[in-house]
Amino acid sequence: MEKLDLIIIGAGPAGIGCAIEAKLKNKKVLILEKTKEICQTLRQFYKDGKRVDKAYKGLEGENYSHVRFEDGTKESTIENFESLIKEHDISIEFSSEVESVKQDKENFIVTTSKNTYECQNIIIAIGRMGKPNKPDYKLPPTLTKIINFNANNVQNNEKILIVGGGNSAAEYAVDLASKNQVCLCYRKDKFTRLNDTNLNDIESAANQNKLLLKLGVDILEVEDENSKAKVKFNDGTFEIYDRIIYAIGGSTPVDFLQKCGVNVDDKGIPLMNENKESNIKGIFLAGDITTKNGASIVCGLNDAAKIISVLK
């Protein structure tokens, strides 16, 4: 059984940042990633060419870590982290699902679908968006191709309904409205979770009739209408759309955290101290899994610097 100083679960920016910081301190480190590639959130939930900002709207923008990161696109950001992995000789075990985490005296035994490891510390950096939230009502299985949880499959000149009131929903709506007929539906009568930039952008677009806002309205049902989505609203109206995009957040993978022994609050946020250490000594958390509404890449990199500075 291989012995390591640190195992990092998740090969997104926060996980890679943790590995780089650890390597700079001569730690023996391994990243475990359940998919076949790094940065799955970027790959899955960002459309091609989407801007990735260092000073992300309203969130921490100053990078205190040793990891280089600047403004760019989805593609350039992934390329940057791939380059950093090579530069720092970071070891990643892909297609490796963590099956169990157990304590053995002062160390941990981590069993994956491929191997078993012993390590002193663990950092969980798996992100929140691996499991997107879905609505309570049933969605027709025949509409799987046009009911999405990201904007990757959107074509030009589509009639699109975007559901949600967070920053992702607003960004999708403003971005897609340039080449599509977009309606943003939010169950509350006003936006309560948008940062200032996105609030200004969405209100400006609506005022210029570039997109339609359907606020204070909820969806009762979605039906298959000749391979399009017939959406019935609780205001007594209905519309037919070429595509629906649900941007209603991602749920913290509570089951996995609890399997590791990590306690969470009533909103599914892990309980941590100021150094991002959980209730289990030696298990830390980094990136947007540590927050209610998500974190920027810089926040994740700063988490990495903070955590590695206190590792035993």
Side-chain angles (χ1 to χ4, degrees):
M1 181 167 53
E2 185 176 359
K3 294 185 178 181
L4 301 158
D5 296 314
L6 172 66
I7 280 181
I8 299 163
I9 302 172
I16 295 168
C18 289
I20 292 171
E21 298 286 351
K23 288 280 285 193
L24 291 173
K25 287 202 166 186
N26 297 315
K27 301 287 188 182
K28 188 176 182 182
V29 56
L30 173 68
I31 298 178
L32 302 175
E33 169 56 44
K34 69 177 182 179
T35 69
K36 296 179 180 180
E37 300 174 297
I38 66 167
C39 299
Q40 280 302 303
T41 295
L42 288 174
R43 294 181 190 274
Q44 186 174 355
F45 295 101
Y46 279 51
K47 66 177 295 186
D48 291 347
K50 179 176 172 58
R51 190 179 72 244
V52 179
D53 293 332
K54 181 179 179 182
Y56 183 73
K57 303 168 180 176
L59 296 175
E60 187 175 22
E62 187 170 354
N63 185 357
Y64 300 103
S65 78
H66 294 93
V67 181
R68 66 172 182 268
F69 173 66
E70 299 295 338
D71 294 343
T73 63
K74 165 186 173 179
E75 292 79 8
S76 68
T77 300
I78 293 172
E79 183 179 340
N80 177 52
F81 281 101
E82 288 176 337
S83 175
L84 287 166
I85 288 168
K86 293 179 181 179
E87 180 183 329
H88 293 276
D89 192 25
I90 303 299
S91 298
I92 305 178
E93 183 177 281
F94 289 105
S95 303
S96 184
E97 187 94 29
V98 176
E99 296 177 348
S100 69
V101 174
K102 297 180 180 179
Q103 286 186 282
D104 180 32
K105 298 180 181 179
E106 294 185 354
N107 289 342
F108 298 96
I109 304 299
V110 179
T111 302
T112 76
S113 52
K114 292 184 174 182
N115 292 297
T116 299
Y117 301 97
E118 181 178 347
C119 63
Q120 288 184 297
N121 296 283
I122 296 172
I123 300 175
I124 301 173
I126 52 179
R128 295 178 59 82
M129 291 306 297
K131 185 181 179 183
N133 290 335
K134 296 183 179 181
D136 295 332
Y137 46 86
K138 291 184 178 180
L139 299 173
T142 53
L143 296 181
T144 301
K145 290 184 178 180
I146 66 165
I147 295 179
N148 309 136
F149 297 88
N150 56 60
N152 292 351
N153 298 316
V154 172
Q155 308 296 313
N156 291 341
N157 302 313
E158 289 186 325
K159 184 178 180 180
I160 302 170
L161 177 67
I162 298 173
V163 183
N167 288 301
S168 293
E171 290 173 8
Y172 284 155
V174 172
D175 185 38
L176 296 176
S178 63
K179 296 181 180 179
N180 299 276
Q181 182 182 345
V182 173
C183 174
L184 175 59
C185 178
Y186 184 38
R187 58 186 175 81
K188 295 184 179 180
D189 59 4
K190 63 180 180 180
F191 295 108
T192 58
R193 297 186 288 122
L194 297 184
N195 60 50
D196 291 343
T197 302
N198 282 337
L199 181 60
N200 179 72
D201 288 349
I202 198 74
E203 290 180 342
S204 176
N207 290 336
Q208 296 176 50
N209 296 317
K210 293 180 178 179
L211 57 81
L212 175 66
L213 294 181
K214 202 171 181 70
L215 302 180
V217 179
D218 212 346
I219 296 172
L220 296 177
E221 188 178 5
V222 176
E223 297 179 347
D224 185 337
E225 182 85 0
N226 298 320
S227 298
K228 294 191 176 185
K230 181 178 181 180
V231 181
K232 297 180 180 179
F233 300 97
N234 65 355
D235 62 356
T237 65
F238 73 88
E239 288 286 341
I240 295 175
Y241 297 94
D242 298 311
R243 188 176 304 278
I244 304 176
I245 298 175
Y246 287 95
I248 51 179
S251 55
T252 300
V254 175
D255 290 345
F256 178 77
L257 293 176
Q258 292 179 335
K259 183 167 67 175
C260 296
V262 174
N263 292 335
V264 299
D265 65 16
D266 57 358
K267 293 182 173 60
I269 306 300
L271 302 179
M272 305 164 290
N273 64 18
E274 66 276 8
N275 294 317
K276 303 289 183 173
E277 187 171 24
S278 72
N279 57 290
I280 304 295
K281 186 175 177 58
I283 296 184
F284 297 79
L285 301 112
D288 64 356
I289 194 175
T290 67
T291 71
K292 178 182 178 182
N293 296 318
S296 68
I297 290 178
V298 167
C299 291
L301 297 179
N302 289 341
D303 284 350
K306 179 182 294 184
I307 293 169
I308 301 305
S309 71
V310 300
L311 282 191
K312 61 184 179 181

